[in-house]
Amino acid sequence: MTGQGLLQLALYVVVLVALVKPLGAYMAAVFRGERTFLSPLLGPVERLIYRISGVDPAHESNWTRYAFDALLVNLLGFIAVYALQRLQGVLPLNPQGLGAISPDSSFNTAVSFATNTNWQGYVGEATMSYLTQMLGLAVQNFLSAATGIAVLLALVRGFVRRESGQIGNFWVDFTRSTLYVLLPLSFLLAVVLAAQGVVQSFAPYAQATLVDPVVMQDQVVTEQTLPLGPAASQVAIKQLGTNGGGFFNVNSAHPFENPTPLSNFLEMLAILLIPAALCYTFGSMVNDQRQGWALLAAMLVIFLPLLVGTFAAEQAGNPRFDALGVDQAASAMQPGGNMEGKETRFGIANSALWATATTAAANGSVNAMHDSFTPLGGLVPMWLMQLGEVVFGGVGSGLYGMLMFAVIAVFIAGLMVGRTPEYLGKKIEAYEVKMAAIVLLVPCLAVLLGTAVAVMVPAATASVANPGVHGFSEILYAFSSAGNNNGSAFAGLSANTPFYNFALGIAMWVSRYWLMIPVLAIAGSLAAKRATAITAGTLPTHTPLFVSLLVITVLLVGALTFLPALALGPIVEHLQLHGSH
């Protein structure tokens, strides 16, 4: 590792943590319905939305109605994105004349963006029209992120309320998340990114004359097509909403999507900004800031060592090159380490940081090729997804996932001392533990079952370009990404096939909604309970002891579930790389 690289990582973490309190406090005020500095501007808009849509903001619902509303808006979003793709050949804002997208790819993409996964099996600039990108994909980036925040707010009310049958109004939570949080932040980031050179245009693709013509397949190529489009606006929300994906095929490695070191830093910061700040929001809404800081601390305790580990693995380089006499040490003349698949303008530190942040946060955008990482460097992003996307995780969904681990942690602590477990003044009983277990185990089932089927089906193995353990890692990574609603890809796997489009689509759908419904069920159950008195036997859930217990619970579940699969992929590949065979 280099001192300069470590300094870049440290700067990122410091800026991120410094922004947690101001943004978290603002969001807490928004979600409590308090007046903020944006209320004079956005308050009338919010009231107009309720009036047009017929929503009574004072009316609240039980958890089943709340779940129905959340599922309904996501279903409508799925239908809209699917229809836009199938009909884009006859719709406007399509200057390149791109035709309809195949049914299987349309299904996969519609599920992907509705579930906040944003897995992309297509080449963006050669597949999607401007209208599909804006009205379909960009809109879903807002709506899927707002859905995750709304479900989190319902769970928070479950902890706060006493003997109540209501957990809030989904449409109010959904509207405020979009109007007061996602839209303003996205507007600011989009303006800055456009100023940095991220394209934002409705013009047709441009043609550029090559300074040095090249010969391809016995033909002299003298011109290059430069893809354009309204990219800055979509890049902003894809990062802030932990959606991921990319306007262009190579994602945030594309110079039109991420042109400068400043744009790279801001896009990386946007990935973790809202998930981290929501921890402070949680503490504020449960009237105990220590609870929010404890959850953030648990996330950082897991994230930071894995971040440094990825950086170290990539900076160490490829041991096979040492035998060839290749100097892989960093110097004033070279970055050293493993630069394969990385942009030179970002380097190893920023590539490792992005890979770790994007897989910790259910974001899925990339600025480097994860398939070209070293075995251990690639293992960390894969395992971060397999932990359940709770180390920051998706907007809203990451924190409610971590709260499910907190429920399991207090249950384990209760078993140790023979006492009914409690969390935030509510007794955790059999129903809550069962629902939490479903939340934790469903993604694991989707990943392992999907991978097991894929390695046995010829239609799936035919898509693997790399034989052996690395090919297995590519398949495992794909289902880890889909089964945890991340969206990043190892690449090297031709996933735009009927098998993978449907299999990964099903994994994405199951892992989003089979988690969301049990979380809302827990919210309803907790809201109906009375508060329990704090006694000498109550386990404090804001102390370093509880943070340690929570971290161990997360790591143990991830290790026990996925270590055998990881041993067949990146761990074996690491041993092969350092061995003689």
mmCIF file of all heavy atoms in Angstrom, residues 183-231:
data_model
loop_
_atom_site.group_PDB
_atom_site.id
_atom_site.type_symbol
_atom_site.label_atom_id
_atom_site.label_comp_id
_atom_site.label_asym_id
_atom_site.label_seq_id
_atom_site.Cartn_x
_atom_site.Cartn_y
_atom_site.Cartn_z
ATOM 1 N N LEU A 183 -34.701 14.536 -4.954
ATOM 2 C CA LEU A 183 -34.697 15.526 -6.038
ATOM 3 C C LEU A 183 -33.711 16.674 -5.798
ATOM 4 O O LEU A 183 -32.914 16.996 -6.689
ATOM 5 C CB LEU A 183 -36.109 16.063 -6.257
ATOM 6 C CG LEU A 183 -36.991 15.262 -7.219
ATOM 7 C CD1 LEU A 183 -38.419 15.790 -7.191
ATOM 8 C CD2 LEU A 183 -36.436 15.326 -8.636
ATOM 9 N N PRO A 184 -33.722 17.335 -4.631
ATOM 10 C CA PRO A 184 -32.769 18.441 -4.432
ATOM 11 C C PRO A 184 -31.308 17.992 -4.513
ATOM 12 O O PRO A 184 -30.482 18.658 -5.150
ATOM 13 C CB PRO A 184 -33.112 18.964 -3.034
ATOM 14 C CG PRO A 184 -34.515 18.537 -2.794
ATOM 15 C CD PRO A 184 -34.659 17.218 -3.492
ATOM 16 N N LEU A 185 -30.990 16.868 -3.864
ATOM 17 C CA LEU A 185 -29.608 16.393 -3.911
ATOM 18 C C LEU A 185 -29.206 16.016 -5.330
ATOM 19 O O LEU A 185 -28.077 16.305 -5.764
ATOM 20 C CB LEU A 185 -29.446 15.189 -2.976
ATOM 21 C CG LEU A 185 -29.486 15.479 -1.472
ATOM 22 C CD1 LEU A 185 -29.440 14.180 -0.677
ATOM 23 C CD2 LEU A 185 -28.333 16.387 -1.059
ATOM 24 N N SER A 186 -30.103 15.386 -6.067
ATOM 25 C CA SER A 186 -29.795 14.991 -7.435
ATOM 26 C C SER A 186 -29.602 16.203 -8.335
ATOM 27 O O SER A 186 -28.732 16.216 -9.210
ATOM 28 C CB SER A 186 -30.909 14.100 -7.998
ATOM 29 O OG SER A 186 -31.012 12.903 -7.263
ATOM 30 N N PHE A 187 -30.424 17.232 -8.119
ATOM 31 C CA PHE A 187 -30.274 18.449 -8.926
ATOM 32 C C PHE A 187 -28.907 19.083 -8.702
ATOM 33 O O PHE A 187 -28.212 19.454 -9.661
ATOM 34 C CB PHE A 187 -31.389 19.436 -8.570
ATOM 35 C CG PHE A 187 -31.290 20.745 -9.302
ATOM 36 C CD1 PHE A 187 -31.728 20.859 -10.608
ATOM 37 C CD2 PHE A 187 -30.743 21.862 -8.677
ATOM 38 C CE1 PHE A 187 -31.627 22.072 -11.290
ATOM 39 C CE2 PHE A 187 -30.637 23.070 -9.345
ATOM 40 C CZ PHE A 187 -31.088 23.174 -10.657
ATOM 41 N N LEU A 188 -28.512 19.208 -7.447
ATOM 42 C CA LEU A 188 -27.216 19.811 -7.145
ATOM 43 C C LEU A 188 -26.070 18.997 -7.734
ATOM 44 O O LEU A 188 -25.156 19.546 -8.360
ATOM 45 C CB LEU A 188 -27.047 19.940 -5.629
ATOM 46 C CG LEU A 188 -27.912 20.984 -4.921
ATOM 47 C CD1 LEU A 188 -27.716 20.893 -3.414
ATOM 48 C CD2 LEU A 188 -27.590 22.386 -5.421
ATOM 49 N N LEU A 189 -26.121 17.681 -7.548
ATOM 50 C CA LEU A 189 -25.039 16.841 -8.049
ATOM 51 C C LEU A 189 -25.009 16.855 -9.575
ATOM 52 O O LEU A 189 -23.929 16.890 -10.174
ATOM 53 C CB LEU A 189 -25.206 15.411 -7.534
ATOM 54 C CG LEU A 189 -24.109 14.422 -7.953
ATOM 55 C CD1 LEU A 189 -22.735 14.905 -7.505
ATOM 56 C CD2 LEU A 189 -24.389 13.032 -7.382
ATOM 57 N N ALA A 190 -26.164 16.832 -10.219
ATOM 58 C CA ALA A 190 -26.207 16.837 -11.685
ATOM 59 C C ALA A 190 -25.586 18.110 -12.243
ATOM 60 O O ALA A 190 -24.849 18.069 -13.247
ATOM 61 C CB ALA A 190 -27.646 16.685 -12.170
ATOM 62 N N VAL A 191 -25.861 19.252 -11.608
ATOM 63 C CA VAL A 191 -25.285 20.519 -12.075
ATOM 64 C C VAL A 191 -23.767 20.493 -11.961
ATOM 65 O O VAL A 191 -23.039 20.894 -12.886
ATOM 66 C CB VAL A 191 -25.874 21.696 -11.272
ATOM 67 C CG1 VAL A 191 -25.115 22.990 -11.572
ATOM 68 C CG2 VAL A 191 -27.350 21.879 -11.608
ATOM 69 N N VAL A 192 -23.262 20.009 -10.842
ATOM 70 C CA VAL A 192 -21.810 19.946 -10.645
ATOM 71 C C VAL A 192 -21.182 18.964 -11.641
ATOM 72 O O VAL A 192 -20.124 19.255 -12.233
ATOM 73 C CB VAL A 192 -21.479 19.542 -9.201
ATOM 74 C CG1 VAL A 192 -19.976 19.364 -9.024
ATOM 75 C CG2 VAL A 192 -21.993 20.588 -8.222
ATOM 76 N N LEU A 193 -21.816 17.816 -11.841
ATOM 77 C CA LEU A 193 -21.268 16.834 -12.777
ATOM 78 C C LEU A 193 -21.260 17.372 -14.199
ATOM 79 O O LEU A 193 -20.298 17.146 -14.952
ATOM 80 C CB LEU A 193 -22.070 15.535 -12.702
ATOM 81 C CG LEU A 193 -21.952 14.742 -11.401
ATOM 82 C CD1 LEU A 193 -22.809 13.476 -11.465
ATOM 83 C CD2 LEU A 193 -20.500 14.374 -11.109
ATOM 84 N N ALA A 194 -22.312 18.070 -14.588
ATOM 85 C CA ALA A 194 -22.340 18.668 -15.921
ATOM 86 C C ALA A 194 -21.223 19.689 -16.073
ATOM 87 O O ALA A 194 -20.589 19.794 -17.136
ATOM 88 C CB ALA A 194 -23.702 19.304 -16.183
ATOM 89 N N ALA A 195 -20.953 20.439 -15.004
ATOM 90 C CA ALA A 195 -19.864 21.410 -15.043
ATOM 91 C C ALA A 195 -18.505 20.722 -15.169
ATOM 92 O O ALA A 195 -17.556 21.295 -15.731
ATOM 93 C CB ALA A 195 -19.896 22.279 -13.782
ATOM 94 N N GLN A 196 -18.402 19.492 -14.680
ATOM 95 C CA GLN A 196 -17.161 18.727 -14.775
ATOM 96 C C GLN A 196 -16.981 18.051 -16.134
ATOM 97 O O GLN A 196 -15.925 17.512 -16.415
ATOM 98 C CB GLN A 196 -17.112 17.669 -13.671
ATOM 99 C CG GLN A 196 -16.852 18.227 -12.293
ATOM 100 C CD GLN A 196 -15.478 18.839 -12.186
ATOM 101 O OE1 GLN A 196 -14.461 18.181 -12.388
ATOM 102 N NE2 GLN A 196 -15.431 20.149 -11.916
ATOM 103 N N GLY A 197 -18.038 18.063 -16.944
ATOM 104 C CA GLY A 197 -17.910 17.488 -18.277
ATOM 105 C C GLY A 197 -18.763 16.273 -18.544
ATOM 106 O O GLY A 197 -18.688 15.685 -19.632
ATOM 107 N N VAL A 198 -19.594 15.853 -17.584
ATOM 108 C CA VAL A 198 -20.529 14.757 -17.839
ATOM 109 C C VAL A 198 -21.577 15.257 -18.831
ATOM 110 O O VAL A 198 -22.147 16.336 -18.654
ATOM 111 C CB VAL A 198 -21.215 14.296 -16.531
ATOM 112 C CG1 VAL A 198 -22.203 13.173 -16.813
ATOM 113 C CG2 VAL A 198 -20.168 13.840 -15.525
ATOM 114 N N VAL A 199 -21.830 14.496 -19.881
ATOM 115 C CA VAL A 199 -22.682 14.984 -20.959
ATOM 116 C C VAL A 199 -24.133 15.087 -20.487
ATOM 117 O O VAL A 199 -24.606 14.287 -19.679
ATOM 118 C CB VAL A 199 -22.597 14.075 -22.204
ATOM 119 C CG1 VAL A 199 -21.196 14.084 -22.781
ATOM 120 C CG2 VAL A 199 -23.030 12.652 -21.879
ATOM 121 N N GLN A 200 -24.829 16.075 -20.992
ATOM 122 C CA GLN A 200 -26.253 16.281 -20.741
ATOM 123 C C GLN A 200 -26.814 16.922 -22.006
ATOM 124 O O GLN A 200 -26.783 18.132 -22.173
ATOM 125 C CB GLN A 200 -26.473 17.174 -19.523
ATOM 126 C CG GLN A 200 -27.940 17.391 -19.155
ATOM 127 C CD GLN A 200 -28.576 16.169 -18.518
ATOM 128 O OE1 GLN A 200 -27.888 15.253 -18.080
ATOM 129 N NE2 GLN A 200 -29.899 16.137 -18.461
ATOM 130 N N SER A 201 -27.308 16.081 -22.907
ATOM 131 C CA SER A 201 -27.680 16.566 -24.224
ATOM 132 C C SER A 201 -28.788 15.711 -24.808
ATOM 133 O O SER A 201 -28.921 14.531 -24.472
ATOM 134 C CB SER A 201 -26.462 16.541 -25.159
ATOM 135 O OG SER A 201 -26.835 16.750 -26.501
ATOM 136 N N PHE A 202 -29.598 16.322 -25.702
ATOM 137 C CA PHE A 202 -30.599 15.581 -26.454
ATOM 138 C C PHE A 202 -30.205 15.458 -27.928
ATOM 139 O O PHE A 202 -30.996 14.996 -28.742
ATOM 140 C CB PHE A 202 -31.960 16.272 -26.346
ATOM 141 C CG PHE A 202 -32.532 16.248 -24.958
ATOM 142 C CD1 PHE A 202 -32.532 17.381 -24.168
ATOM 143 C CD2 PHE A 202 -33.057 15.071 -24.425
ATOM 144 C CE1 PHE A 202 -33.051 17.359 -22.883
ATOM 145 C CE2 PHE A 202 -33.576 15.048 -23.138
ATOM 146 C CZ PHE A 202 -33.572 16.185 -22.372
ATOM 147 N N ALA A 203 -28.988 15.864 -28.244
ATOM 148 C CA ALA A 203 -28.535 15.821 -29.633
ATOM 149 C C ALA A 203 -28.236 14.382 -30.055
ATOM 150 O O ALA A 203 -27.933 13.519 -29.220
ATOM 151 C CB ALA A 203 -27.280 16.678 -29.789
ATOM 152 N N PRO A 204 -28.306 14.109 -31.357
ATOM 153 C CA PRO A 204 -27.902 12.776 -31.841
ATOM 154 C C PRO A 204 -26.423 12.540 -31.572
ATOM 155 O O PRO A 204 -25.663 13.476 -31.286
ATOM 156 C CB PRO A 204 -28.185 12.856 -33.356
ATOM 157 C CG PRO A 204 -29.119 13.997 -33.526
ATOM 158 C CD PRO A 204 -28.809 14.976 -32.431
ATOM 159 N N TYR A 205 -26.012 11.296 -31.649
ATOM 160 C CA TYR A 205 -24.611 10.954 -31.442
ATOM 161 C C TYR A 205 -23.745 11.708 -32.446
ATOM 162 O O TYR A 205 -24.129 11.909 -33.610
ATOM 163 C CB TYR A 205 -24.381 9.457 -31.597
ATOM 164 C CG TYR A 205 -25.022 8.616 -30.498
ATOM 165 C CD1 TYR A 205 -25.734 9.200 -29.461
ATOM 166 C CD2 TYR A 205 -24.912 7.224 -30.510
ATOM 167 C CE1 TYR A 205 -26.309 8.441 -28.469
ATOM 168 C CE2 TYR A 205 -25.491 6.445 -29.523
ATOM 169 C CZ TYR A 205 -26.197 7.058 -28.500
ATOM 170 O OH TYR A 205 -26.778 6.298 -27.523
ATOM 171 N N ALA A 206 -22.561 12.120 -31.993
ATOM 172 C CA ALA A 206 -21.664 12.912 -32.832
ATOM 173 C C ALA A 206 -20.630 12.018 -33.512
ATOM 174 O O ALA A 206 -20.350 10.901 -33.050
ATOM 175 C CB ALA A 206 -20.973 13.973 -31.987
ATOM 176 N N GLN A 207 -20.079 12.515 -34.593
ATOM 177 C CA GLN A 207 -19.028 11.809 -35.315
ATOM 178 C C GLN A 207 -17.735 12.602 -35.204
ATOM 179 O O GLN A 207 -17.716 13.814 -35.439
ATOM 180 C CB GLN A 207 -19.405 11.631 -36.786
ATOM 181 C CG GLN A 207 -20.647 10.786 -37.023
ATOM 182 C CD GLN A 207 -20.451 9.331 -36.634
ATOM 183 O OE1 GLN A 207 -19.373 8.769 -36.796
ATOM 184 N NE2 GLN A 207 -21.505 8.720 -36.104
ATOM 185 N N ALA A 208 -16.660 11.929 -34.856
ATOM 186 C CA ALA A 208 -15.357 12.572 -34.723
ATOM 187 C C ALA A 208 -14.375 11.909 -35.681
ATOM 188 O O ALA A 208 -14.362 10.673 -35.823
ATOM 189 C CB ALA A 208 -14.841 12.465 -33.294
ATOM 190 N N THR A 209 -13.574 12.713 -36.341
ATOM 191 C CA THR A 209 -12.556 12.192 -37.257
ATOM 192 C C THR A 209 -11.325 11.786 -36.467
ATOM 193 O O THR A 209 -10.798 12.573 -35.662
ATOM 194 C CB THR A 209 -12.187 13.247 -38.305
ATOM 195 O OG1 THR A 209 -13.369 13.626 -39.027
ATOM 196 C CG2 THR A 209 -11.151 12.700 -39.280
ATOM 197 N N LEU A 210 -10.841 10.580 -36.682
ATOM 198 C CA LEU A 210 -9.679 10.078 -35.957
ATOM 199 C C LEU A 210 -8.410 10.750 -36.449
ATOM 200 O O LEU A 210 -8.209 10.933 -37.649
ATOM 201 C CB LEU A 210 -9.555 8.565 -36.130
ATOM 202 C CG LEU A 210 -10.702 7.706 -35.593
ATOM 203 C CD1 LEU A 210 -10.411 6.228 -35.846
ATOM 204 C CD2 LEU A 210 -10.921 7.947 -34.110
ATOM 205 N N VAL A 211 -7.559 11.124 -35.510
ATOM 206 C CA VAL A 211 -6.262 11.681 -35.873
ATOM 207 C C VAL A 211 -5.398 10.608 -36.516
ATOM 208 O O VAL A 211 -4.710 10.848 -37.514
ATOM 209 C CB VAL A 211 -5.561 12.264 -34.633
ATOM 210 C CG1 VAL A 211 -4.164 12.762 -34.989
ATOM 211 C CG2 VAL A 211 -6.384 13.391 -34.038
ATOM 212 N N ASP A 212 -5.465 9.402 -35.962
ATOM 213 C CA ASP A 212 -4.725 8.261 -36.505
ATOM 214 C C ASP A 212 -5.724 7.182 -36.891
ATOM 215 O O ASP A 212 -6.231 6.463 -36.014
ATOM 216 C CB ASP A 212 -3.736 7.703 -35.478
ATOM 217 C CG ASP A 212 -2.621 8.685 -35.161
ATOM 218 O OD1 ASP A 212 -2.090 9.288 -36.103
ATOM 219 O OD2 ASP A 212 -2.279 8.830 -33.976
ATOM 220 N N PRO A 213 -6.080 7.051 -38.164
ATOM 221 C CA PRO A 213 -7.001 5.988 -38.594
ATOM 222 C C PRO A 213 -6.460 4.617 -38.211
ATOM 223 O O PRO A 213 -5.236 4.397 -38.120
ATOM 224 C CB PRO A 213 -7.056 6.164 -40.114
ATOM 225 C CG PRO A 213 -6.668 7.594 -40.340
ATOM 226 C CD PRO A 213 -5.663 7.903 -39.281
ATOM 227 N N VAL A 214 -7.386 3.694 -37.943
ATOM 228 C CA VAL A 214 -7.000 2.335 -37.565
ATOM 229 C C VAL A 214 -7.592 1.352 -38.569
ATOM 230 O O VAL A 214 -8.594 1.639 -39.240
ATOM 231 C CB VAL A 214 -7.496 1.993 -36.141
ATOM 232 C CG1 VAL A 214 -6.840 2.880 -35.114
ATOM 233 C CG2 VAL A 214 -9.004 2.110 -36.053
ATOM 234 N N VAL A 215 -6.962 0.196 -38.678
ATOM 235 C CA VAL A 215 -7.417 -0.851 -39.587
ATOM 236 C C VAL A 215 -8.090 -1.947 -38.770
ATOM 237 O O VAL A 215 -7.480 -2.514 -37.859
ATOM 238 C CB VAL A 215 -6.259 -1.421 -40.412
ATOM 239 C CG1 VAL A 215 -6.757 -2.547 -41.325
ATOM 240 C CG2 VAL A 215 -5.589 -0.332 -41.231
ATOM 241 N N MET A 216 -9.353 -2.218 -39.087
ATOM 242 C CA MET A 216 -10.103 -3.275 -38.416
ATOM 243 C C MET A 216 -10.758 -4.147 -39.467
ATOM 244 O O MET A 216 -11.533 -3.652 -40.298
ATOM 245 C CB MET A 216 -11.170 -2.678 -37.480
ATOM 246 C CG MET A 216 -10.613 -1.843 -36.345
ATOM 247 S SD MET A 216 -11.916 -1.194 -35.254
ATOM 248 C CE MET A 216 -12.583 -2.718 -34.584
ATOM 249 N N GLN A 217 -10.411 -5.452 -39.431
ATOM 250 C CA GLN A 217 -10.968 -6.413 -40.372
ATOM 251 C C GLN A 217 -10.785 -5.942 -41.809
ATOM 252 O O GLN A 217 -11.712 -5.917 -42.623
ATOM 253 C CB GLN A 217 -12.454 -6.668 -40.069
ATOM 254 C CG GLN A 217 -12.688 -7.263 -38.699
ATOM 255 C CD GLN A 217 -14.155 -7.479 -38.400
ATOM 256 O OE1 GLN A 217 -15.030 -7.005 -39.114
ATOM 257 N NE2 GLN A 217 -14.440 -8.213 -37.327
ATOM 258 N N ASP A 218 -9.567 -5.526 -42.118
ATOM 259 C CA ASP A 218 -9.172 -5.099 -43.468
ATOM 260 C C ASP A 218 -9.882 -3.831 -43.938
ATOM 261 O O ASP A 218 -9.873 -3.515 -45.132
ATOM 262 C CB ASP A 218 -9.419 -6.229 -44.492
ATOM 263 C CG ASP A 218 -8.595 -7.469 -44.183
ATOM 264 O OD1 ASP A 218 -7.476 -7.298 -43.657
ATOM 265 O OD2 ASP A 218 -9.076 -8.586 -44.438
ATOM 266 N N GLN A 219 -10.497 -3.102 -43.011
ATOM 267 C CA GLN A 219 -11.128 -1.836 -43.352
ATOM 268 C C GLN A 219 -10.487 -0.706 -42.556
ATOM 269 O O GLN A 219 -10.176 -0.864 -41.378
ATOM 270 C CB GLN A 219 -12.633 -1.869 -43.071
ATOM 271 C CG GLN A 219 -13.412 -2.813 -43.981
ATOM 272 C CD GLN A 219 -14.904 -2.706 -43.741
ATOM 273 O OE1 GLN A 219 -15.337 -2.140 -42.742
ATOM 274 N NE2 GLN A 219 -15.699 -3.255 -44.654
ATOM 275 N N VAL A 220 -10.296 0.411 -43.230
ATOM 276 C CA VAL A 220 -9.702 1.570 -42.568
ATOM 277 C C VAL A 220 -10.808 2.388 -41.906
ATOM 278 O O VAL A 220 -11.755 2.837 -42.567
ATOM 279 C CB VAL A 220 -8.936 2.448 -43.573
ATOM 280 C CG1 VAL A 220 -8.348 3.672 -42.864
ATOM 281 C CG2 VAL A 220 -7.833 1.646 -44.239
ATOM 282 N N VAL A 221 -10.719 2.543 -40.585
ATOM 283 C CA VAL A 221 -11.708 3.297 -39.821
ATOM 284 C C VAL A 221 -11.159 4.697 -39.601
ATOM 285 O O VAL A 221 -10.095 4.874 -39.005
ATOM 286 C CB VAL A 221 -12.007 2.620 -38.474
ATOM 287 C CG1 VAL A 221 -13.003 3.436 -37.678
ATOM 288 C CG2 VAL A 221 -12.516 1.207 -38.700
ATOM 289 N N THR A 222 -11.900 5.698 -40.074
ATOM 290 C CA THR A 222 -11.444 7.079 -39.974
ATOM 291 C C THR A 222 -12.312 7.923 -39.054
ATOM 292 O O THR A 222 -11.955 9.049 -38.735
ATOM 293 C CB THR A 222 -11.429 7.737 -41.367
ATOM 294 O OG1 THR A 222 -12.754 7.713 -41.905
ATOM 295 C CG2 THR A 222 -10.472 6.990 -42.297
ATOM 296 N N GLU A 223 -13.481 7.402 -38.645
ATOM 297 C CA GLU A 223 -14.375 8.151 -37.785
ATOM 298 C C GLU A 223 -14.782 7.328 -36.563
ATOM 299 O O GLU A 223 -14.805 6.098 -36.620
ATOM 300 C CB GLU A 223 -15.643 8.580 -38.539
ATOM 301 C CG GLU A 223 -15.427 9.682 -39.549
ATOM 302 C CD GLU A 223 -16.744 10.198 -40.108
ATOM 303 O OE1 GLU A 223 -17.721 9.414 -40.147
ATOM 304 O OE2 GLU A 223 -16.802 11.374 -40.496
ATOM 305 N N GLN A 224 -15.090 8.025 -35.503
ATOM 306 C CA GLN A 224 -15.564 7.391 -34.274
ATOM 307 C C GLN A 224 -16.890 8.022 -33.873
ATOM 308 O O GLN A 224 -17.058 9.241 -33.943
ATOM 309 C CB GLN A 224 -14.561 7.564 -33.139
ATOM 310 C CG GLN A 224 -15.007 6.951 -31.811
ATOM 311 C CD GLN A 224 -14.016 7.198 -30.689
ATOM 312 O OE1 GLN A 224 -12.992 7.834 -30.905
ATOM 313 N NE2 GLN A 224 -14.326 6.716 -29.503
ATOM 314 N N THR A 225 -17.835 7.180 -33.460
ATOM 315 C CA THR A 225 -19.127 7.670 -32.986
ATOM 316 C C THR A 225 -19.034 7.994 -31.500
ATOM 317 O O THR A 225 -18.606 7.161 -30.695
ATOM 318 C CB THR A 225 -20.229 6.623 -33.216
ATOM 319 O OG1 THR A 225 -20.321 6.346 -34.611
ATOM 320 C CG2 THR A 225 -21.569 7.124 -32.714
ATOM 321 N N LEU A 226 -19.427 9.197 -31.132
ATOM 322 C CA LEU A 226 -19.387 9.634 -29.740
ATOM 323 C C LEU A 226 -20.805 9.640 -29.191
ATOM 324 O O LEU A 226 -21.644 10.461 -29.602
ATOM 325 C CB LEU A 226 -18.793 11.039 -29.635
ATOM 326 C CG LEU A 226 -17.380 11.216 -30.183
ATOM 327 C CD1 LEU A 226 -16.933 12.664 -30.025
ATOM 328 C CD2 LEU A 226 -16.396 10.285 -29.503
ATOM 329 N N PRO A 227 -21.137 8.737 -28.284
ATOM 330 C CA PRO A 227 -22.500 8.695 -27.726
ATOM 331 C C PRO A 227 -22.757 9.884 -26.824
ATOM 332 O O PRO A 227 -21.912 10.269 -26.014
ATOM 333 C CB PRO A 227 -22.515 7.375 -26.944
ATOM 334 C CG PRO A 227 -21.082 7.145 -26.577
ATOM 335 C CD PRO A 227 -20.267 7.703 -27.712
ATOM 336 N N LEU A 228 -23.933 10.454 -26.954
ATOM 337 C CA LEU A 228 -24.337 11.574 -26.121
ATOM 338 C C LEU A 228 -25.608 11.202 -25.366
ATOM 339 O O LEU A 228 -25.987 10.037 -25.324
ATOM 340 C CB LEU A 228 -24.551 12.821 -26.980
ATOM 341 C CG LEU A 228 -23.352 13.280 -27.808
ATOM 342 C CD1 LEU A 228 -23.725 14.458 -28.687
ATOM 343 C CD2 LEU A 228 -22.178 13.643 -26.909
ATOM 344 N N GLY A 229 -26.280 12.187 -24.793
ATOM 345 C CA GLY A 229 -27.529 11.918 -24.096
ATOM 346 C C GLY A 229 -27.609 12.635 -22.768
ATOM 347 O O GLY A 229 -26.635 13.238 -22.302
ATOM 348 N N PRO A 230 -28.761 12.586 -22.122
ATOM 349 C CA PRO A 230 -28.954 13.225 -20.808
ATOM 350 C C PRO A 230 -28.369 12.380 -19.687
ATOM 351 O O PRO A 230 -29.091 11.802 -18.865
ATOM 352 C CB PRO A 230 -30.474 13.341 -20.709
ATOM 353 C CG PRO A 230 -30.982 12.180 -21.514
ATOM 354 C CD PRO A 230 -30.007 11.991 -22.633
ATOM 355 N N ALA A 231 -27.035 12.319 -19.644
ATOM 356 C CA ALA A 231 -26.368 11.415 -18.709
ATOM 357 C C ALA A 231 -26.218 11.999 -17.309
ATOM 358 O O ALA A 231 -26.390 11.292 -16.316
ATOM 359 C CB ALA A 231 -24.997 11.015 -19.256
#
